[in-house]
Amino acid sequence: MHTFTPTPDAAGSVALSAALGVLPLLTFFATLLGLRLKAWQSGLAALVVALLVAVLGFHMPAHLAALAAAQGATFGLFPIVWIVVMALWFYQVTVLSGRFDDMRAIFDSLGGGDIRIQAVLIAFCFGGLLEALAGFGAPVAITATMVLGLGVPPLRAATAVLLANTAPVAFGAVGTPITTAGTLTGIPATHIGAIVGHQAPFVAVFVPFLLVFIIDGLRGVRQTWPALIVIGASFAVAIWLASTHFSYELTDVVASLVSLAAAVLLLRFWRPRGAEEARQRLDAPARAAAQDLTPGRIFMAVLPYIVVVAVFALAKLVPSITAALNSATAKIPWPGLDGHLVDASGAPLASTVYKFEWLASPGTLLLIAGLIMAVVYSRFDHDGRFPLSVGNALAEIGRCFARMRWSALTIVIVLSLAYVMNFSGQTVAMGTWVAGLGAAFVFLSPVLGWLGTAVTGSDTSANALFSTLQQTAATNIGADPALLVAANTSGGVVGKMISPQSLAIAATAVGMEGRESEILRRVVVWSLVLLLAVCTLVYLQSNVLAWMLPAAG
């Protein structure tokens, strides 16, 4: 039986092997940015280069390289694409029922009539919910139009929603970036998620202040700071607790609902100063009359989020249910690959076993929650303006797959690329080489996630490209691999706001098509400032703040 062992010096030296290994990444970035190819086209070009490097430079048998690409593509389809599409579909169920409009009306009625606090609740709290359940640009597109509708000028609205779409990104699409990192590295995704949950709060707590500063300057911050503290701090604490003790997949949902509830409670006893003056400074229209929202309509609007939390809670926290769901998981040794990829001791690599978690997958749990809501809306939502049938809800699944087809293709190709690079030894070679930076690499590790997300527009893709590299480098310099893999995710969250896709979506939403460069100039400074903060935090967590990190297992 022919076997292959990935080694960091397959090309003769670690430096030369790393130089060859970086070629697929250079191809991806050069074709995406330089030639302006579509993401899936750039990914395909990079995959071809990775296969050539694997076979010619790292001496991997061609059929094993092809099989590695096939396993990566399969993992990209399930569970990753399945999760993303089901998250979008669950959100679409609320849209088709007309209850999403009621959620918008709820936000219009909140904030004590203060346009600045309303903008924070929409862009930050509601945007976090949308990031959890839809992701891939939907939060920016939807919240930008809502903030613009409040009367915030277009450039400020676009800048604010891009900045708001930071902390939630790590846990977006029910934790897909973290799930991807866990699968590729073998580090439990729950542990990675918990570490990210001990990093993201330090970004989240400041975001509401930055949003109001963008919208109304220092005067606005001084007049609204009690609400900003409550919103930011409650969001941060909820991220910390939910990612550590509940479910990293639902961290954004929990944090968004908790911060919203905290804001509503505060506004029952306190009102911001200068609300009307701020509206005049922004030249915003007079506040429209609040939509007639009955308690029943409010309940039906928020019910989907209650249901999804309940479904995940039962699946994750009730041992008998968890065991039943996991018992349906099929572990499939990848044909032709399993047993043929071995480590230096000759032991087969465990990563060649594909886990088909068809029942325990977050995508399937979202499907269950969505079906519950489809039945509730079709049978009991008698005052809904758009009656939703279960059949129409099911038909929407096909429409969601069609809408996500190019994003899905990109995900499949990027995961194929990651598997080829990992199984051939290209990622190990690069990780071994950059480990020569020593402790300096710990400080710089979030930059890779920032760069990957800024270019691809996806924290999931950034983790697919760099998480194994982070793991290898950490092992070689004696750092905690889980910390640096989490750092890749956390670095990616502050890179999302400057990605070309995000800029284009925000510009379109506020009517600034063709003026993406203006928006970029506004957000790039904030992106770099937050990246520096994340780098500093990760470095400190690797030594003096190591007590802050959650224990493994």
Side-chain angles (χ1 to χ4, degrees), residues 33 84 136 282 303 368 374 500 512:
L33 297 177
V84 171
F136 289 85
L282 294 170
L303 183 59
I368 293 170
M512 292 182 63

Side-chain angles (χ1 to χ4, degrees), residues 401-446:
F401 271 106
R403 184 182 307 178
M404 293 296 296
R405 62 188 182 279
W406 297 117
S407 295
L409 180 59
T410 300
I411 291 171
V412 168
I413 292 174
V414 169
L415 265 299
S416 289
L417 169 66
Y419 268 65
V420 171
M421 294 182 66
N422 292 346
F423 284 171
S424 66
Q426 296 173 54
T427 305
V428 173
M430 288 187 290
T432 303
W433 185 80
V434 299
L437 296 172
F441 180 74
V442 176
F443 179 81
L444 296 173
S445 60

Side-chain angles (χ1 to χ4, degrees), residues 116-203:
R116 300 161 298 186
I117 294 179
Q118 287 177 328
V120 172
L121 294 176
I122 291 171
F124 187 59
C125 300
F126 193 47
L129 271 178
L130 294 175
E131 181 64 37
L133 300 175
F136 289 85
V140 171
I142 294 167
T143 59
T145 58
M146 294 172 68
V147 171
L148 187 68
L150 293 174
V152 178
L155 183 56
R156 297 187 193 184
T159 305
V161 299
L162 286 170
L163 186 59
N165 192 223
T166 49
V169 167
F171 302 98
V174 285
T176 301
I178 294 169
T179 300
T180 300
T183 299
L184 291 177
T185 61
I187 301 171
T190 52
H191 185 47
I192 298 173
I195 295 178
V196 174
H198 288 59
Q199 295 169 346
F202 296 93
V203 174

